[in-house]
Amino acid sequence: DRFGVKPLYIQNTSNGFFFASEVKALLSRSKERRVLDPQAFHEFMFYGNGLKEKTLFKGIENLKPGVFLVIKNNEKPLQYFFWRPEDVKQSNVSFNKAIVKTKELLEKAVQNQLVGDVPVGIFLSGGIDSSCITAFAVKHYSKKIKTFSAAFDFESGTNELDKAKSVADFYDTDHEEMFIKGEDLPSVIEQLVWHHDTPFSDAANIPLFLMAQQVKRTHKVILQGDGGDEIFAGYRRYQMLNELQKFKPMIVAGKLASVLPFDSLAKNRLERMSVALGQKDDGMRMALLLTVETLKNSPLAVLGDNVLNKLEHTNPFLEYINESQRFNAQDLVQKMLLTDTQIILPSIFLEKVDKSTMGQSIEVRVPLLDNELTDFVIGLPSSYKVHKKEKKWLLRQALRGVVPNEILDAPKTGFGVPFENWLKKPLNSFMKEQLFSDTIRDKGFFNEKKLRKIITQHEQGKINHGFLLWKLMNLSIWMQKYKVET
């Protein structure tokens, strides 16, 4: 498919060409050594996953979105693009006409995804994307549509049940609120490593997995709003790039962060954003905006020398540099939008949705990545999508009168999983068991002195190393479970 909604893993060996929808299927028929891919691993250390076609298993790739592969006799398999975002025809339609057309295509996209022999439900967060899907689904579904929202015993002040319920009441859906407990988080984390076939590091896969576990009792197909942020410009980075000149003071302030009267978290964020926005190369600017890790305090510092040596000729930012060159004809905001559809959308977000839900035998459909809709929106100027400080400008205007204004005008909240706090308390012992297991130690994988130092800093609240430790914990589980060599 065009955006990598579903994966297809490929492996070309001396014994033949193999493909499957899960990596473990390829591993089950192969007696070859399972070796860590250095480039993918370097990317994992900064982003929490290998990017684009790369997996952490050397020799196993994920067929790139928008690509088909031809195998003929005993010749080398050849890959061809059947769709690329840069080939989308640019539109000169007026903004007002774009609003009308977008609304029409949104409605059609949702209607198309309601077809099926089993009940269709919606994961409703109360945000713009899921509210939009709910609005049009209610209009076209032959029965009363079922919506699901969840609150978790581990969430940190991000409960959106009230927002979701107000949307459900507005559209009169058959609404169900789920209260989910993460009673045995180590078990859930280990299950998810198994389902992902990789040490996947977006902790939002946990609530998604647990929601799917409850939903599967009554529903096998769920609609969800993924893709809306990357197509319609829902992240703050688009606004920052759109008004880059106005953020020049931030770049200067970032250089002075150490002497400013802010807490350490604010200083670190300011310094990180300053370095990213201050890059002269667009590729590096995008690459550093998309990771919470920094060049100054490299995540590689915790690795053992034998692992570091294997990363010597790799570059974790290579894909962003390549995409910047690929989309060089576009303005900075459009370049970031297109790059996100090619990297973070398939490699992180769609991967998260597919594996978390298919692990519970749930099929998730994503109407906002409909072919006709995305062809139209991608071809529109970036000024239609980001307007001064307004993100999702076009989408908000298209949904006026369809979705309540209090939803359209509410700030973006996202879902925060407090994994940083888990690593200090309920998961602390489990984390250390994984990081300092005999298997990992025998490989000399970590510089234990530096690793223990960042654990102590995190436990004492001096520096938040949560994302790095979460990645390393998942990595350790994966390497033991899949018997991966370096």
Side-chain angles (χ1 to χ4, degrees):
D1 59 74
R2 291 180 173 191
F3 294 102
V5 176
K6 294 291 179 184
L8 183 69
Y9 297 99
I10 57 178
Q11 186 180 33
N12 196 18
T13 75
S14 57
N15 297 321
F17 181 85
F18 301 88
F19 60 95
S21 60
E22 292 186 75
V23 171
K24 63 175 66 70
L26 301 179
L27 297 176
S28 69
R29 45 106 349 233
S30 174
K31 294 182 180 179
E32 296 177 8
R33 293 166 57 233
R34 301 173 183 182
V35 180
L36 191 66
D37 183 278
Q39 175 64 30
F41 176 62
H42 203 164
E43 292 168 352
F44 168 84
M45 289 299 290
F46 276 86
Y47 298 100
N49 210 11
L51 304 182
K52 298 198 73 168
E53 72 272 22
K54 294 179 289 299
T55 74
L56 267 66
F57 290 101
K58 195 170 185 177
I60 298 179
E61 294 185 350
N62 189 358
L63 191 66
K64 285 187 287 193
V67 163
F68 66 88
L69 185 143
V70 175
I71 307 168
K72 186 177 180 182
N73 300 328
N74 292 321
E75 298 172 13
K76 181 181 178 180
L78 298 175
Q79 296 188 25
Y80 302 91
F81 278 99
F82 66 82
W83 183 86
R84 300 187 305 174
E86 63 264 45
D87 295 334
V88 170
K89 185 179 178 182
Q90 299 301 294
S91 174
N92 58 4
V93 67
S94 71
F95 183 64
N96 286 337
K97 287 185 177 178
I99 291 172
V100 174
K101 183 70 172 177
T102 298
K103 178 181 175 182
E104 173 192 316
L105 292 175
L106 282 167
E107 183 167 356
K108 185 178 178 183
V110 175
Q111 186 177 6
N112 288 342
Q113 296 291 354
L114 292 170
V115 177
D117 299 325
V118 295
V120 177
I122 300 171
F123 280 160
L124 178 59
S125 68
I128 296 175
D129 298 332
S130 62
S131 299
C132 160
I133 292 169
T134 302
F136 293 123
V138 165
K139 185 175 178 181
H140 293 285
Y141 198 53
S142 58
K143 303 172 185 175
K144 195 168 188 175
I145 197 83
K146 181 93 174 179
T147 52
F148 300 91
S149 299
F152 302 88
D153 64 347
F154 51 72
E155 62 192 352
S156 53
T158 54
N159 188 321
E160 292 190 321
L161 284 183
D162 289 344
K163 280 175 64 178
K165 188 173 188 311
S166 70
V167 174
D169 289 345
F170 186 83
Y171 296 113
D172 191 28
T173 69
D174 182 6
H175 189 58
E176 180 179 336
E177 293 181 343
M178 300 178 287
F179 295 88
I180 296 174
K181 295 181 179 180
E183 290 178 317
D184 191 359
L185 284 170
S187 172
V188 173
I189 292 165
E190 289 181 322
Q191 287 180 67
L192 281 164
V193 170
W194 175 250
H195 287 302
H196 280 283
D197 294 317
T198 192
F200 190 75
S201 300
D202 183 346
N205 63 350
I206 293 175
L208 198 53
F209 182 70
L210 295 174
M211 282 180 72
Q213 188 176 56
Q214 290 208 18
V215 164
K216 70 179 182 181
R217 295 173 299 178
T218 57
H219 284 67
K220 294 296 182 185
V221 176
I222 293 291
L223 304 189
Q224 187 160 305
D226 288 273
D229 286 321
E230 294 78 15
I231 299 301
F232 288 102
Y235 299 118
R236 186 164 181 255
R237 58 180 171 271
Y238 306 128
Q239 176 228 331
M240 294 172 78
L241 293 173
N242 188 50
E243 299 190 301
L244 190 57
Q245 290 302 317
K246 292 185 179 180
F247 283 91
K248 293 290 184 184
M250 176 190 281
I251 297 172
V252 175
K255 296 175 181 178
L256 303 172
S258 61
V259 298
L260 292 174
F262 299 148
D263 62 42
S264 59
L265 190 64
K267 286 181 180 180
N268 289 342
R269 177 173 171 76
L270 177 61
E271 189 172 4
R272 181 173 69 83
M273 299 307 292
S274 168
V275 171
L277 293 173
Q279 295 292 316
K280 291 183 171 60
D281 178 80
D282 286 348
M284 283 301 297
R285 184 185 285 120
M286 293 190 296
L288 294 177
L289 279 172
L290 268 293
T291 176
V292 300
E293 305 293 358
T294 65
L295 296 172
K296 181 181 176 181
N297 299 303
S298 171
L300 303 189
V302 299
L303 301 177
D305 289 341
N306 63 322
V307 181
L308 285 172
N309 291 338
K310 293 178 181 178
L311 304 183
E312 196 172 9
H313 301 295
T314 61
N315 180 355
F317 312 124
L318 183 62
E319 294 297 352
Y320 282 96
I321 293 167
N322 289 342
E323 295 305 282
S324 178
Q325 294 169 356
R326 174 183 172 185
F327 301 128
N328 205 38
Q330 307 290 340
D331 66 66
L332 189 53
V333 175
Q334 197 81 315
K335 185 185 285 191
M336 185 80 259
L337 283 163
L338 296 181
T339 297
D340 279 346
T341 68
Q342 300 300 289
I343 298 182
I344 195 171
L345 182 60
S347 299
I348 308 292
F349 298 135
L350 294 175
E351 158 78 12
K352 172 183 66 184
V353 172
D354 178 68
K355 299 295 173 55
S356 303
T357 55
M358 288 301 290
Q360 299 285 6
S361 301
I362 295 290
E363 177 198 347
V364 168
R365 298 177 182 174
V366 283
L368 300 185
L369 292 177
D370 171 83
N371 288 354
E372 197 176 354
L373 173 64
T374 53
D375 270 349
F376 178 69
V377 177
I378 286 173
L380 295 173
S382 63
S383 59
Y384 286 14
K385 303 160 199 174
V386 183
H387 178 69
K388 297 181 180 178
K389 294 183 179 180
E390 290 277 356
K391 299 166 290 185
K392 288 189 175 175
W393 178 242
L394 172 65
L395 182 62
R396 291 172 193 269
Q397 303 316 306
L399 294 175
R400 294 289 174 195
V402 176
V403 171
N405 286 341
E406 56 265 31
I407 299 299
L408 294 178
D409 298 325
K412 182 180 178 67
T413 54
F415 187 83
V417 180
F419 59 90
E420 298 100 333
N421 292 328
W422 291 345
L423 295 175
K424 293 178 184 177
K425 294 179 181 177
L427 286 177
N428 188 266
S429 296
F430 176 72
M431 172 187 70
K432 290 174 180 176
E433 286 171 16
Q434 305 307 319
L435 297 179
F436 302 113
S437 71
D438 291 341
T439 304
I440 300 299
R441 278 180 154 169
D442 289 346
K443 296 178 188 294
F445 201 85
F446 297 126
N447 179 323
E448 284 201 17
K449 183 178 179 181
K450 290 183 179 177
L451 181 56
R452 289 188 185 278
K453 180 180 178 181
I454 71 161
I455 290 173
T456 301
Q457 288 174 336
H458 186 75
E459 289 171 339
Q460 294 176 351
K462 292 179 179 178
I463 302 176
N464 184 354
H465 293 295
F467 185 50
L468 177 57
L469 291 172
W470 187 260
K471 284 183 291 190
L472 299 180
M473 180 185 71
N474 277 271
L475 176 73
S476 300
I477 295 168
W478 173 75
M479 292 189 72
Q480 294 173 83
K481 191 179 288 287
Y482 285 87
K483 299 178 171 58
V484 181
E485 302 176 23
T486 55

